[in-house]
């Protein structure tokens, strides 16, 4: 079975990938860490991880001002964020980044300028477009470090692709601080989750204020791009924010293939909208640093929202896959997806098609579901296709108008295999179906048992 689809995460241009793989050299060229400081990095990273997770309630807003914390952050968390965001930005439609010469961009909670750096890596066609970035953050020092890293990154790519570094204006403050110019792009990455953690008001009120803040910076028709960790609280907040933006006449570009209520809103006992890819192709030094810190990654995940201020989004009709392959009864497989039918279970024959998390399948959907999954209530849609066309020779890199991918892979290969079954969308292993033993083998064992009894 061959099935056409458009992937969400795309490979970077080769030159960008080489720079990202050697990003530790850029960090070292800026920080000039001593041998002792480099040796201490794994412990510093692990300590910072605790402060960002289980100790976050006691964390100060200026936690990245300390040199050791800043070095640990850019050597692990920031680098992983570049891996995630650059692949996402490379896969988004070109309309998301239709920025004019002299365009203005705003990055809220910018930290070490992660969004500008990821966009520089992912979309080399923008490097020759003069842009001004207003980078807003509470920490002056981490933004200064980020600007140095960005300029070093731009210098490493200039030899092959040219371009002039974008103008960076560092703004010390929190989201909502007034700016002189209206923006063509308003972005925020890994910052809204910290905002919701500190908020005293209910999540829906916080989402409403966030929507007003974003639109306060945006010019008419501007792109709004939010990316957060792929965890239920982040997905829940983005779902609420999506509703507030729709109420303010904004268009939704991605990942949503429908404008109804979000069927994966992260509420208790509900699925949450997030997308993941294998970390197997991550930079080797980053993987080594992750293992040394005791924080290895098998997969990188995120939740995101692409919207447009005051105009309709680009059509994304079809079904957006939000899971790895799962086993279904009757030697069949499936994928959970979002479509205009709501939560959808795409059902197919084995072997499972190679459909990665986040892929958009453009298929004709019925007016209403004729069958529903008893466990989740998902609409069941059969996607078996009789198609003898060949697969594409190479996967797409960053794209403007991508061609659909077509490929086939045995079930479980997309998510990693396990001797007891295939990985589900939540990382749970379902037991493999027991296959009946061949009759000939059963007969031999029966005869052997009879012989033993006679003895």
């Amino acid at each position: 079975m061959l099935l056409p689809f458009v992937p969400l995460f795309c490979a970077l241009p080769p030159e960008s990938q080489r720079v990202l793989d050697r990003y530790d050299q850029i960090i070292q060229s800026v920080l000039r860490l001593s041998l002792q400081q480099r040796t201490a990095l794994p412990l510093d990273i692990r300590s910072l991880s605790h402060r960002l997770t289980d100790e976050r309630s006691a964390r100060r807003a200026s936690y990245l001002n300390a040199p050791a914390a800043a070095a640990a952050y850019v050597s692990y968390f920031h680098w992983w964020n570049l891996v995630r965001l650059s692949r996402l930005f490379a896969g988004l439609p070109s309309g998301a980044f239709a920025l004019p010469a002299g365009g203005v961009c705003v990055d809220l909670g910018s930290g070490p300028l992660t969004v500008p750096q990821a966009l520089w890596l992912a979309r080399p066609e923008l490097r020759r477009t003069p842009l001004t970035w207003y980078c807003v953050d509470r920490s002056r020092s981490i933004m200064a470090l980020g600007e140095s890293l960005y300029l070093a990154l731009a210098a490493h790519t200039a030899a092959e692709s040219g371009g002039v570094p974008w103008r960076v204006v560092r703004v010390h403050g929190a989201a909502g601080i007034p700016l002189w110019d209206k923006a063509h792009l308003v972005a925020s990455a890994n910052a809204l989750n910290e905002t919701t953690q500190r908020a005293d008001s209910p999540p829906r009120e916080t989402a409403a204020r966030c929507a007003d803040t974003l639109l306060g910076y945006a010019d008419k028709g501007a792109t709004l791009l939010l990316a957060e960790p792929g965890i239920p609280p982040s997905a829940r907040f983005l779902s609420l924010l999506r509703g507030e933006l729709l109420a303010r006449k904004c268009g939704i570009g991605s990942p949503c293939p429908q404008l109804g209520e979000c069927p994966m809103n992260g509420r208790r006992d509900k699925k949450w909208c997030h997308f993941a890819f294998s970390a197997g192709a991550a930079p080797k030094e980053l993987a080594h640093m992750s293992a040394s810190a005791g924080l290895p990654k098998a997969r990188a995940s995120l939740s995101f929202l692409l919207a447009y201020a005051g105009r309709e989004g680009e059509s994304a009709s079809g079904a957006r896959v939000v899971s790895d392959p799962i086993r279904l009864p009757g030697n069949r497989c499936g994928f959970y997806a979002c479509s205009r039918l709501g939560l959808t279970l795409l059902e197919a024959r084995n072997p499972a098609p190679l459909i990665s998390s986040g892929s958009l399948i453009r298929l004709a959907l019925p007016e209403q579901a004729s069958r529903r999954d008893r466990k989740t209530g998902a609409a069941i849609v059969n996607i078996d296709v009789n198609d003898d066309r060949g697969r594409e020779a190479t996967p797409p890199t960053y794209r403007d108008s991508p061609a659909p991918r077509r490929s086939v892979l045995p079930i479980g290969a997309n998510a990693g295999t396990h001797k007891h079954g295939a990985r589900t969308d939540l990382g749970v292993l379902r037991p493999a179906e027991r296959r009946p033993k061949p009759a000939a083998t059963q007969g031999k064992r029966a005869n052997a048992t009879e012989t033993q009894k006679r003895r």
Side-chain angles (χ1 to χ4, degrees), residues 72-352:
Y73 187 85
V74 298
S75 298
Y76 177 82
F77 302 95
H78 169 63
W79 197 354
W80 271 116
N81 288 336
L82 287 179
V83 171
R84 293 184 185 92
L85 294 179
S86 60
R87 287 194 59 179
L88 173 66
F89 293 172
L92 291 177
S94 58
F97 304 112
L99 302 172
V104 173
C105 307
V106 173
D107 182 18
L108 301 175
S110 186
L113 277 65
T114 307
V115 170
Q117 292 186 61
L119 191 60
W120 183 273
L121 288 168
R123 312 299 297 221
E125 71 274 16
L126 291 176
R127 295 175 191 169
R128 297 183 183 275
T129 303
L131 299 175
T132 296
W133 281 87
Y134 288 96
C135 298
V136 181
D137 200 276
R138 295 171 179 266
S139 172
R140 287 190 175 95
S141 61
I142 197 65
M143 282 194 294
L145 172 58
E147 184 174 7
S148 297
L149 291 171
Y150 165 65
L151 293 174
L153 176 72
H156 276 72
T157 58
E160 295 191 37
S161 61
V164 177
W166 298 319
R167 176 174 173 250
V168 174
V169 179
R170 303 195 305 258
V171 181
H172 178 239
I177 188 171
L179 300 177
W180 286 106
D181 300 313
K182 291 292 185 179
H184 301 92
L185 168 64
V186 181
S188 179
N190 305 301
L192 297 181
N193 61 319
E194 295 191 8
T195 301
T196 56
Q197 290 168 13
R198 295 191 299 265
D200 297 327
S201 56
R204 191 174 297 277
E205 292 182 16
T206 305
R209 287 200 303 270
C210 182
D212 291 336
T213 298
L214 294 171
L215 294 175
Y217 289 119
D219 200 357
K220 186 175 181 179
T223 298
L224 310 176
L225 181 55
L226 301 313
E228 294 295 321
I231 56 177
S234 297
R236 173 63 178 154
F237 186 77
L238 287 178
S239 173
L240 292 172
L241 181 59
R242 171 184 178 272
E244 296 296 332
L245 291 175
L246 284 172
R248 290 160 174 76
K249 309 301 182 184
C250 293
I252 304 298
S254 190
C256 312
Q258 51 89 22
L259 299 181
E261 183 179 356
C262 177
M264 286 164 285
N265 53 25
R267 289 178 178 171
R268 187 181 298 276
D269 298 328
K270 293 281 188 179
K271 295 185 180 299
W272 70 95
C273 182
H274 70 293
F275 309 98
F277 59 88
S278 170
K284 291 182 179 179
E285 288 301 320
L286 176 57
H288 176 71
M289 179 64 74
S290 303
S292 299
L295 299 168
K297 287 186 183 294
R299 293 159 67 78
S301 66
L302 56 76
S303 298
F304 79 99
L305 180 65
L306 172 66
Y308 301 100
R311 66 181 174 95
E312 294 183 359
E314 296 153 320
S315 174
S317 59
R320 178 78 69 181
V321 174
V322 294
S323 79
D324 294 323
I326 58 175
R327 290 188 185 276
L328 299 175
N331 194 32
R332 298 182 70 78
C333 66
F335 303 85
Y336 283 113
C338 177
S339 74
R340 63 174 175 78
L341 299 175
L343 181 62
T344 305
L345 178 59
L346 304 177
E347 183 186 56
R349 294 188 299 267
N350 278 330

Side-chain angles (χ1 to χ4, degrees), residues 49-72:
S49 176
H50 284 298
R51 294 170 66 183
L52 292 171
T53 53
D54 50 298
E55 299 174 4
R56 63 177 178 265
S57 59
R59 187 182 69 225
R60 297 169 58 186
S62 58
Y63 67 97
L64 289 181
N65 285 342

Side-chain angles (χ1 to χ4, degrees), residues 402-426:
R405 288 178 63 185
R406 302 179 179 94
S407 188
V408 175
L409 193 71
I411 187 166
N414 185 35
T417 56
H418 191 282
K419 65 179 180 179
H420 296 306
R423 189 184 183 98
T424 71
D425 57 317
L426 300 181

Side-chain angles (χ1 to χ4, degrees), residues 6-17:
V6 179
L8 175 64
F9 299 106
C10 287
L12 297 179
E15 168 250 4
S16 294
Q17 188 61 57

